[in-house]
Amino acid sequence: MNTPHQPANAIADHRTVELRVQPLSAEAFAAFGTVISKSEDGVPFGPQDAQLDLSRGTPRFYNMRLPGRGLSFNRITRHRSVTQALASVGGFDWVMAVAPPIALHEPDAEPRLEDIRAFLIPGDVAVMLHTGTWHAGPLFDAEEMSFFNLELADTNIVDHHTCNLTTRYGVTVQLVLQSP
């Protein structure tokens, strides 16, 4: 997605840009987090496992119900103090757009539009986002889905930094699934 920087007043020139959804792999997702695949019981902890950081508060693991929002977005969010792990309940595939963590100590930092990637997350894996990874989603076409979510109890109150892509770049991002 190559889009030149547009000033904040470019909302009048708002346009939709397409971003291809790519298959998930540990290598492709490494800059954003960890793919948590199935493993046999008893396998020792190692680099293939999520390196969670929940040290700045009370961990919260919950079943998060979301209404379907389709496969487009105009906001992307990061949490600068915690990793976050997500998996669909029921084994359904879903999509997440991500951008690498940048300038964690700068609350006003924003991702570059051209750094955003989108992945199809199979229903039998989870993903852990590195601290500060920008993310939009979970996104899906169903009317409603549920997700297991591991973050801190107050993440969405005290650690929720959002970049409005329409205000910042004059765009809405439309995700495009690749044909099988």
Side-chain angles (χ1 to χ4, degrees), residues 23-140:
L24 183 68
S25 71
E27 297 78 22
F29 198 73
F32 315 106
T34 304
V35 176
I36 307 166
S37 299
K38 293 182 244 179
S39 64
E40 297 299 322
D41 186 30
V43 172
F45 179 79
Q48 76 283 357
D49 294 305
Q51 309 292 311
L52 298 167
D53 181 0
L54 301 167
S55 63
R56 295 185 178 157
T58 302
R60 179 184 185 203
F61 178 74
Y62 65 107
N63 185 336
M64 173 178 71
R65 184 179 59 163
L66 295 175
R69 298 180 185 127
L71 296 178
S72 66
F73 63 95
N74 65 356
R75 296 175 187 275
I76 193 163
T77 298
R78 70 176 177 167
H79 308 301
R80 298 184 307 134
S81 298
V82 66
T83 55
Q84 182 177 17
L86 295 157
S88 74
V89 174
F92 300 103
D93 295 353
W94 53 288
V95 177
M96 177 170 275
V98 290
I102 55 165
L104 290 179
H105 301 293
E106 296 179 27
D108 296 332
E110 295 178 307
R112 294 179 345 148
L113 191 59
E114 59 269 19
D115 290 342
I116 299 173
R117 301 289 179 267
F119 293 93
L120 178 63
I121 315 293
D124 63 348
V125 302
V127 293
M128 185 222 54
L129 302 175
H130 292 312
T131 302
T133 292
W134 293 93
H135 57 285
L139 299 168
F140 49 90

Side-chain angles (χ1 to χ4, degrees), residues 77-80 135 154-162:
T77 298
R78 70 176 177 167
H79 308 301
R80 298 184 307 134
H135 57 285
D154 62 355
T155 293
N156 288 316
I157 299 167
V158 301
D159 188 22
H160 197 267
H161 306 264
T162 299

